[in-house]
Amino acid sequence: MAVNDILMLLLCGSISGFLAGLLGIGGGMILVPFMIMVFNHLGFPQDLIVHMAIASGMATILFTTSSAIWAHHKHGSVNWKLIGLLSPGMVFGALIGGSELFEAIKTSWLSLFFGCFIVYSAIQMLRNKQPKPGRDLPGSAGLFSFGTFVGALASLVGAGGAFVTVPFMIWCNVKPHTAMATSSGLGLPVALSATLGYMYGSWGIPNLPAGSLGYVYLPAVGCIVIVSIFTAPWGAKMARKLNVAQLKRIFGFILLLLAAFMFNESRKAFGF
C-alpha cells in the first residue's frame, strides 16, 4: 500500500475506535466507504471491493470493541447477563449471514443496502430520541430470535448491531448508559462470528489480493487496529464528559455524506 493509503486507514482507525467507545458502535459504517476508496486506489477487482471493505471493517470490530468493553467494564456499565442471553442468537445469525447471505448478494445490491442502512443510522443519530421503556425483556426464545435477526443484519453491513440492540434494550427498560456499554460487549461475538463466516464463505474465490483471508484484507485491518485499540478507551472515557447528543448529530450528518458515496457506488455497479 502507498503511504497515503496507510495514512487514511490510520486516521479512519483512530476515529472508529473513538466512536466505538463513545457511542457503543463498532465503527464499521465509517470505515467501509473509506476502505472502498483505498481498495479502488489499489486496483482490487470491482466485484470484490464492497464485500472486502465490509468484511475487513467487521474484522476490526474484534479489536475496537475489546478495548471499549474493558473501559466500560471498569466502570461497571456492562450487563454481562444480558450479553449471555443475547449472544447465542446473534452468533448464529452472524455465522449464517456471513457465510451464506453475504456471498450471495451482488456488489450493486450490497452497496445499495449498506447505503440505506447508513441513512437509517444517520436519522437515528440526528433525532437522538430514545424510545420510551415499554416492556420487560422477552424470554429465551424471543431473545434468541431477536439476536438471530440482529446478527444476520450486522453481518451484511459490517456493524456490531448497536443501532438495533441499543433501542431494543432501552425499550425493555435497560438504562441508556448500560444499553450503550452492553452493546459494545455484544459487538465482540457478532464480529468474531461474522468474520469467520466471511472467511469460510469466500475461501478459494479467485482474484483475491495477496494478504487476504477470504474477503478480509489483513494489511488494512492491521493499520486500523494499531490505532483504534488506543482511541476506543479514550472514547469510553469521554462518553461521561462530552455532550454526546450534540456529537451524535454531527456524526449523523457525516453518515449522510457517506451514504451518498455508497449510493454512487451502487449506481456505478448497476451501470447507470
Side-chain angles (χ1 to χ4, degrees):
M1 288 190 292
V3 174
N4 58 331
D5 296 322
I6 294 174
L7 290 176
M8 178 178 284
L9 290 172
L10 290 174
L11 175 62
C12 290
S14 63
I15 295 172
S16 67
F18 177 76
L19 292 174
L22 181 70
L23 305 176
I25 64 175
M29 285 182 300
I30 197 169
L31 287 175
V32 169
F34 289 104
M35 278 198 283
I36 289 175
M37 296 178 194
V38 171
F39 293 168
N40 269 311
H41 185 256
L42 293 173
F44 289 179
Q46 289 298 310
D47 60 335
L48 300 179
I49 284 179
V50 176
H51 286 77
M52 291 187 65
I54 291 176
S56 301
M58 180 65 94
T60 66
I61 296 177
L62 284 168
F63 303 91
T64 56
T65 55
S66 297
S67 299
I69 290 167
W70 178 244
H72 286 301
H73 172 70
K74 288 191 296 184
H75 291 87
S77 303
V78 181
N79 186 331
W80 291 105
K81 180 180 179 181
L82 186 52
I83 289 177
L85 291 170
L86 279 169
S87 289
M90 295 180 75
V91 167
F92 176 73
L95 279 172
I96 298 300
S99 61
E100 303 297 333
L101 301 179
F102 190 71
E103 169 64 20
I105 301 177
K106 293 182 178 180
T107 296
S108 53
W109 288 105
L110 190 61
S111 300
L112 180 61
F113 181 68
F114 186 86
C116 290
F117 183 76
I118 293 181
V119 170
Y120 163 77
S121 302
I123 291 172
Q124 295 295 100
M125 286 282 190
L126 292 170
R127 291 179 66 211
N128 194 33
K129 184 178 179 181
Q130 302 287 9
K132 295 181 180 179
R135 56 163 297 163
D136 293 327
L137 289 165
S140 298
L143 288 174
F144 184 85
S145 299
F146 174 75
T148 300
F149 165 74
V150 174
L153 175 64
S155 70
L156 295 180
V157 296
F163 284 98
V164 182
T165 56
V166 170
F168 171 77
M169 285 189 278
I170 293 175
W171 183 55
C172 294
N173 282 292
V174 177
K175 294 180 180 179
H177 188 71
T178 300
M180 292 177 65
T182 303
S183 72
S184 293
L186 290 168
L188 183 60
V190 169
L192 177 60
S193 304
T195 301
L196 291 174
Y198 298 144
M199 292 190 292
Y200 173 79
S202 59
W203 200 263
I205 287 180
N207 302 322
L208 284 170
S212 301
L213 281 179
Y215 284 135
V216 180
Y217 187 57
L218 296 180
V221 173
C223 287
I224 292 167
V225 166
I226 200 170
V227 290
S228 63
I229 58 175
F230 296 106
T231 57
W234 182 47
K237 183 179 180 180
M238 290 297 102
R240 286 173 287 275
K241 297 181 179 180
L242 299 178
N243 186 337
V244 176
Q246 187 176 19
L247 289 172
K248 281 185 175 182
R249 293 189 180 95
I250 295 172
F251 185 50
F253 283 113
I254 295 173
L255 286 179
L256 289 177
L257 295 175
L258 297 179
F261 171 82
M262 292 306 301
F263 287 138
N264 186 55
E265 289 296 304
S266 178
R267 177 192 61 80
K268 292 190 292 184
F270 276 115
F272 295 156

